[in-house]
Amino acid sequence: MAMAVPKLRFAPPQILAIGYAVLVLLGTLLLRLPAANHTGQPLPLIDAFFTATSAVCVTGLVVVDTGTFFNAFGQTVIIVLIQIGGLGFMTMATLFALVFQRRLSLRDRLLLQEAMNQGSVEGIVRLIRRVIYYSLAIEAVGALLFAIRLAFDMPLGRALYFGIFHSVSFFNNAGFDIFGDFRSLTDYADDPVMNLVSVGLIVSGGLGFIVLSDLADYRHKKKLSMHSKVVLSTTGLLILFGAVIILLFEWGNPGTLGGMDWGGRLWGALLQSVTPRTAGINSVDLTQLHQATHFLLLILMFIGASPGSTGGGIKTTTFAVTIGAMIAMMRGHEDVVFFRQRLARERILKALTIILLALALVIGVAMLLSATEGHDFMVVLFETTSAFGTVGLSLGLTPELSTFGKIMIALTMFAGRVGLLTLVYALKPRKTSEKFRYPEGKIIIG
């Protein structure tokens, strides 16, 4: 009698982690092909793995120049990986299921709930439909605007190709560009069209699809959820704060904003304030920024985008909840209140957990790399935070990383994209119910 083979059953967090890992593996194999680059030689395995991880995790850190090293096939592989990684492979799987009119099971809906960081499965398919519609519509508008502007500098067909690539990359907060020689947007530092479209795409992708859906319904409902209000207010304040501080620090720096007119300085400060959250493009030479500005960008990268978005970091809501908890404690209030609504204590503990896990990861990896890579600690910390926040901003360390350094940064990007709590839940054993609670004790804090 044949023995029955036990079925492997994975929890939603495990499936998400495995799914992203499979995407990275597939991307590595495709980018390693000689047909994917101009040299006609296979890309070294570690470099193909690093680039695929950066694309799937919508980061933008690169070890070879995307615009000059990869040909049209290689760049197409990268942009497809960015699109799937940015929207989430479960979103793309749902798209195919909807196209072929396949009914989604409860397990599928639970996976989507985990992928979109939702509290329940109610309305999850409707949200996924909106995610797809909004993403394609915003990317199409961005591609058209980019193409119109770039058509003044290059042939129309090339301008359209550049428009599509950069619209998808910027909306998904990926930071990949194909302008060549690691230039990013430095040639368009004071160009209002390129800056405005870039900022619009980055902010749209970073707000999160829940917020975009809420904004679309505002015309009928005439109100926003507390989540949307917190995301919008926090995002606006961070952009304004970052732009003002960058202007103050870099106004007279001849290597960055100091060499521009007042209009260029404003656009440069705005883009540099938006892009750490977590787009990874730049219009000024980052290595010429003052160290104080580097530290500001590091903080913005660590905070990142918003939940359910194409960006990474600890997320704006995590940051807002922690600040709210601190203010409530300082004022002697028992509850954390946003917009006349009380926040559950579980949410505060989750926010603190995410911040501590993120700090442990970033500091731990930075300490390791400072010992193995032989670079200034600020440069190493900047690169590590950029990887965790899936940002893609670099001070030039990434192409010089050792094999060990590339692996560590790639794993940091993966952790940042999948989500630290999702990764912890995927690795931990099954949850067991507690049979009893210990008596309460006291400990002195502060």
Side-chain angles (χ1 to χ4, degrees):
M1 182 178 176
M3 290 182 64
V5 179
K7 256 190 176 181
L8 288 174
R9 296 191 64 83
F10 296 104
Q14 293 172 322
I15 294 176
L16 287 178
I18 292 170
Y20 279 109
V22 170
L23 274 177
V24 169
L25 176 61
L26 181 61
T28 301
L29 296 176
L30 290 174
L31 292 176
R32 195 161 189 269
L33 295 174
N37 63 72
H38 290 296
T39 68
Q41 300 295 321
L43 183 65
L45 181 61
I46 183 62
D47 291 343
F49 167 71
F50 189 96
T51 306
T53 305
S54 184
V56 171
C57 299
V58 289
T59 303
L61 288 174
V62 291
V63 288
V64 294
D65 183 60
T66 311
T68 56
F69 182 83
F70 291 105
N71 57 24
F73 171 69
Q75 291 170 2
T76 302
V77 170
I78 288 172
I79 208 62
V80 170
L81 292 175
I82 288 172
Q83 185 74 86
I84 298 174
L87 299 186
F89 76 93
M90 278 306 302
T91 301
M92 302 305 292
T94 304
L95 172 61
F96 286 108
L98 294 174
V99 167
F100 292 105
Q101 298 182 338
R102 186 178 76 83
R103 186 175 178 81
L104 295 178
S105 66
L106 176 61
R107 186 168 180 77
D108 294 332
R109 293 168 191 265
L110 288 171
L111 272 171
L112 289 171
Q113 175 193 342
E114 181 71 28
M116 298 304 295
N117 200 17
Q118 292 292 286
S120 71
V121 296
E122 184 181 355
I124 193 70
V125 176
R126 177 173 171 269
L127 176 62
I128 295 300
R129 282 199 185 98
R130 287 192 163 194
V131 167
I132 296 166
Y133 295 154
Y134 295 161
S135 300
L136 295 179
I138 294 171
E139 288 172 354
V141 172
L144 181 62
L145 293 174
F146 273 145
I148 293 172
R149 170 59 188 88
L150 292 171
F152 290 94
D153 302 332
M154 58 184 72
L156 182 59
R158 185 172 174 82
L160 185 59
Y161 175 69
F162 269 54
I164 293 171
F165 186 98
H166 293 103
S167 181
V168 173
S169 177
F170 293 1
F171 175 74
N172 286 286
N173 282 223
F176 280 84
D177 74 272
I178 51 175
F179 289 108
D181 300 322
F182 302 101
R183 292 200 307 271
S184 195
L185 290 182
T186 52
D187 291 345
Y188 300 94
D190 56 355
D191 189 296
V193 175
M194 293 296 288
N195 278 278
L196 193 58
V197 175
S198 299
V199 168
L201 288 168
I202 294 165
V203 173
S204 297
L207 285 176
F209 299 112
I210 300 99
V211 177
L212 292 179
S213 180
D214 212 12
L215 288 172
D217 288 336
Y218 182 76
R219 184 175 55 180
H220 306 292
K221 294 182 178 178
K222 301 298 180 185
K223 66 176 183 178
L224 295 173
S225 66
M226 183 176 76
H227 171 80
S228 294
K229 291 177 182 177
V230 171
V231 166
L232 291 170
S233 57
T234 306
T235 299
L237 288 171
L238 286 173
I239 291 174
L240 180 62
F241 172 78
V244 170
I245 298 300
I246 290 171
L247 274 175
L248 291 174
F249 286 167
E250 300 297 326
W251 185 270
N253 185 349
T256 56
L257 301 183
M260 306 178 188
D261 59 20
W262 68 270
R265 289 174 179 175
L266 291 177
W267 285 120
L270 177 63
L271 186 71
Q272 257 55 238
S273 176
V274 169
T275 192
R277 321 257 329 285
T278 56
I281 58 174
N282 58 284
S283 59
V284 299
D285 186 353
L286 296 181
T287 61
Q288 297 298 314
L289 293 171
H290 293 308
Q291 197 166 63
T293 311
H294 284 158
F295 195 73
L296 171 67
L297 296 184
L298 194 147
I299 294 170
L300 294 175
M301 289 192 297
F302 186 76
I303 296 171
S306 302
S309 72
T310 58
I314 62 170
K315 303 295 189 294
T316 52
T317 48
T318 304
F319 173 72
V321 167
T322 309
I323 296 297
M326 180 186 72
I327 293 173
M329 177 64 71
M330 290 169 63
R331 290 180 174 178
H333 296 168
E334 187 175 340
D335 297 323
V336 177
V337 178
F338 290 122
F339 301 100
R340 298 184 179 181
Q341 287 183 282
R342 176 173 54 86
L343 204 63
R345 193 166 296 275
E346 173 210 351
R347 297 288 155 184
I348 301 169
L349 292 175
K350 185 175 182 180
L352 292 173
T353 302
I354 290 172
I355 288 178
L356 290 175
L357 284 173
L359 283 172
L361 175 67
V362 170
I363 293 172
V365 173
M367 286 176 64
L368 275 175
L369 294 183
S370 65
T372 62
E373 304 306 309
H375 281 265
D376 182 73
F377 184 73
M378 175 59 83
V379 175
V380 173
L381 184 61
F382 191 94
E383 217 84 1
T384 306
T385 308
S386 179
F388 164 73
T390 68
V391 180
L393 292 179
S394 174
L395 297 180
L397 173 61
T398 301
E400 301 176 9
L401 287 171
S402 64
T403 299
F404 175 77
K406 290 175 183 176
I407 292 172
M408 292 304 299
I409 290 293
L411 293 177
T412 305
M413 290 189 287
F414 187 82
R417 182 64 188 105
V418 174
L420 290 173
L421 281 184
T422 299
L423 210 53
V424 168
Y425 292 156
L427 296 174
K428 75 173 187 177
R430 288 182 179 274
K431 187 177 180 180
T432 56
S433 58
E434 296 179 355
K435 299 289 190 297
F436 61 91
R437 296 182 71 187
Y438 289 101
E440 185 178 292
K442 292 185 179 181
I443 186 170
I444 298 172
I445 303 293

